[in-house]
Amino acid sequence: MIYNVKGILTYAEPTFAVVECGGVGFKCFISTTTLRQLPSPNREVNLYTHLAVREDAMDLYGFAEIEELEAFKLLISVSGIGPKAAVAILSVLTPEKLSIAVSSGDIRAISSAQGVGKKTAERVVLELKDKMAGIATGSTASIVEGIQAVASSSAAQEAVEVLVSLGFNQSAASAAVGAMDMSLSVDEMVRKGLKELSGQL
């Protein structure tokens, strides 16, 4: 219904921003990711929006980037994920990080969002695994392709498990192994993975 709002940013706090368009202030609920991209007050801003209609309210959600809006729409398509939970997830994971987390099955990263439990995070991975690649662009798209290649190699899967057991997160381990030659042995993958990820602990 409302594709975007473009006007003067009159107010912003961690959970919402007010954009004035033609004398009307639109309250848009936002993620931390969008908050970081907002200009200072009294400057022009453009937010891509989604109108959530409930029996007792009509809430407008605003996003600085179209990719974040697309990720939001995918998240609210998952059973049990409402707009607030979707914004909570996008507050801890950018669309790029979310696509990597979903592709690699990183339940821990997704459940780190406020109010999102392990079972909900598992549903996100299950229902969006084949859809998230659509919002991955540029280098993120090639990382997601690499992660998907890991699923077809038992050696790569084993290398990821070893790296995770050593304390690296699932997303980072899957991305590192996904960028490797799948014909390498498990030991070689782990060695290369340790070298690449050692600065991330």
Side-chain angles (χ1 to χ4, degrees):
M1 182 179 168
I2 302 173
Y3 181 76
N4 72 304
V5 290
K6 185 176 185 179
I8 302 300
L9 178 70
T10 58
Y11 182 78
E13 64 173 56
T15 57
F16 72 88
V18 178
V19 182
E20 188 176 309
C21 310
V24 178
F26 289 89
K27 179 182 180 181
C28 301
F29 291 99
I30 57 171
S31 68
T32 305
T33 301
T34 286
L35 178 66
R36 284 193 292 263
Q37 297 178 64
L38 291 179
S40 52
N42 301 316
R43 298 187 69 175
E44 190 175 74
V45 68
N46 180 59
L47 294 179
Y48 298 97
T49 58
H50 174 84
L51 182 64
V53 180
R54 303 196 317 263
E55 281 182 24
D56 58 344
M58 290 199 311
D59 294 325
L60 199 59
Y61 291 83
F63 306 93
E65 304 287 342
I66 195 76
E67 291 81 12
E68 191 180 10
L69 172 61
E70 294 305 320
F72 174 84
K73 287 179 179 176
L74 284 174
L75 284 167
I76 62 173
S77 73
V78 175
S79 55
I81 295 275
K84 286 183 181 174
V87 166
I89 292 170
L90 290 168
S91 288
V92 296
L93 297 169
T94 62
E96 293 79 16
K97 287 181 179 174
L98 177 62
S99 59
I100 291 169
V102 169
S103 300
S104 62
D106 193 345
I107 306 296
R108 185 180 293 176
I110 298 165
S111 62
S112 68
Q114 188 176 358
V116 178
K118 186 183 174 189
K119 285 188 177 177
T120 304
E122 286 170 348
R123 261 201 312 277
V124 169
V125 169
L126 183 69
E127 294 186 34
L128 298 185
K129 201 153 200 169
D130 299 328
K131 299 177 184 175
M132 285 306 291
I135 65 159
T137 57
S139 60
T140 306
S142 58
I143 292 170
V144 168
E145 282 175 26
I147 290 170
Q148 289 168 342
V150 168
S152 60
S153 164
S154 57
Q157 288 176 28
E158 193 177 330
V160 169
E161 286 170 18
V162 171
L163 290 168
V164 169
S165 71
L166 292 171
F168 299 102
N169 74 51
Q170 182 89 25
S171 294
S174 297
V177 173
M180 295 178 197
D181 180 347
M182 292 296 137
S183 65
L184 294 173
S185 70
V186 175
D187 287 347
E188 288 172 313
M189 287 181 178
V190 170
R191 233 185 342 266
K192 287 183 81 170
L194 282 170
K195 191 174 179 182
E196 187 178 328
L197 297 169
S198 57
Q200 295 185 23
L201 268 180

